Amino acid sequence: MLFRSEPTCRAEDGLALSSRNVYLNPTERVQAAQLSTQLRQIAEALRSGATDTSTLEAQATQTLNDQGWKVDYVTVRRRMDLLPPAPGEALAGACVVLAAARMGQTRLIDNLTCVITGTDATVDLGVVSAAARVGGTERPCDA
């Protein structure tokens, strides 16, 4: 079985574009960007050499819960097999940071890929749409 990865289309504030976003009220829509913010913070910590993924996951979960989210999961996985890294495992190669959480009645999901090679790392933030909403409807990325 072959899986192909495509960039995530994002609004300018980082929220992954999804048909589910239309269910967010204006206040929830502003708060929804915090999901991608937490993923970026985990990816930045990994890029800086952090290896305690359990602590990073717990901190992001707690932050989101404190902001009114109901978190299903925030997790770091090896990209090649989607298994969790062993405790303290240096994440050489690609990993993915995944999350699913509810803001109000809306369940949002997101992910970021982080590629780590030696002391260098890149984070795939997806594609930012220049105009995420047109007439109240999310539009596809222009990529």
Side-chain angles (χ1 to χ4, degrees):
M1 186 178 281
L2 176 66
F3 292 96
R4 195 171 110 179
S5 174
E6 295 291 332
T8 300
C9 295
R10 297 186 179 279
E12 293 199 23
D13 64 0
L15 179 65
L17 297 184
S18 167
S19 59
R20 299 174 190 192
N21 295 355
V22 300
Y23 299 112
L24 298 167
N25 68 39
T27 301
E28 291 169 342
R29 172 56 189 85
V30 171
Q31 294 170 327
Q34 285 301 312
L35 188 61
S36 66
T37 297
Q38 289 304 309
L39 297 184
R40 284 193 314 272
Q41 288 178 353
I42 290 173
E44 178 61 32
L46 294 170
R47 191 173 76 84
S48 297
T51 59
D52 187 354
T53 58
S54 294
T55 297
L56 295 172
E57 294 164 355
Q59 289 170 339
T61 298
Q62 186 63 51
T63 298
L64 290 167
N65 283 333
D66 289 347
Q67 294 173 355
W69 290 81
K70 291 181 177 68
V71 177
D72 292 331
Y73 60 85
V74 175
T75 189
V76 177
R77 299 296 173 121
R78 296 185 311 224
R79 186 172 157 197
M80 69 179 168
D81 56 15
L82 293 181
L83 292 174
E89 177 183 342
L91 291 171
C95 64
V96 62
V97 187
L98 305 147
R102 289 187 184 278
M103 170 52 60
Q105 297 299 311
T106 307
R107 185 173 188 260
L108 300 175
I109 59 173
D110 203 349
N111 71 86
L112 289 178
T113 299
C114 184
V115 179
I116 304 166
T117 53
T119 58
D120 189 30
T122 58
V123 177
D124 179 4
L125 299 177
V127 178
V128 176
S129 174
R133 287 190 176 268
V134 177
T137 305
E138 308 249 347
R139 72 176 229 192
C141 290
D142 299 324

